[in-house]
Amino acid sequence: PPPPTSSPLPTYKKVAVGGTFDRLHYGHRRLLTLAVGLCDTRTGALLVGVASDSMVANKSGSRLIQPEAVRTGAVVGFLGRLCPGFKNGVRATRLDTPVGALTTDPDIDCLVCSSETVGAAEKVNE
């Protein structure tokens, strides 16, 4: 039989992804890489929501979570190295609620989720 073929992932005009992004690790880098891969890097935009300090204050171990500015800097730095030509298409934003801009920005046409963030994504579709 012929080998299975794979088709390219679709691309979207405006992709959103969000999370706490504390101590940027392999799972975070994988999620962000997928988000970039789904974004039309010529004309599209990637919106990255980083949970605010006040939003993570009630999380377990919150006193160990890096400050929002450090987490945001790590995300932006990683994306700049991952796709330097797309740097102007990336916008980091503060998440003060689990759904962030998802309910207010009608241009978002793709949401990238992890097992930790899928619950918030499902709320958007309600």
Side-chain angles (χ1 to χ4, degrees):
T5 59
S6 63
S7 48
L9 292 172
T11 57
Y12 299 90
K13 189 88 172 151
K14 192 165 192 181
V15 176
V17 61
T20 303
F21 298 110
D22 186 40
R23 299 184 195 333
L24 202 66
H25 57 69
Y26 174 76
H28 295 136
R29 293 189 301 271
R30 191 171 169 193
L31 185 71
L32 292 166
T33 300
L34 175 60
V36 168
L38 290 169
C39 196
D40 179 346
T41 55
R42 290 175 298 134
T43 60
L46 175 61
L47 179 64
V48 183
V50 179
S52 67
D53 290 334
S54 61
M55 190 170 149
V56 299
N58 295 324
K59 277 184 102 167
S60 173
S62 63
R63 63 183 179 80
L64 301 174
I65 295 175
Q66 296 172 310
E68 177 186 340
V70 172
R71 293 181 282 117
T72 301
V75 167
V76 171
F78 171 74
L79 290 170
R81 291 185 301 278
L82 175 68
C83 195
F86 187 51
K87 189 163 53 171
N88 292 333
V90 174
R91 185 169 67 102
T93 186
R94 170 190 200 138
L95 284 180
D96 289 312
T97 68
V99 295
L102 295 174
T103 58
T104 59
D105 187 341
D107 296 329
I108 295 173
D109 53 356
C110 177
L111 174 62
V112 179
C113 301
S114 70
S115 59
E116 292 180 6
T117 60
V118 71
E122 289 172 344
K123 287 181 182 179
V124 172
N125 289 326
E126 290 177 352

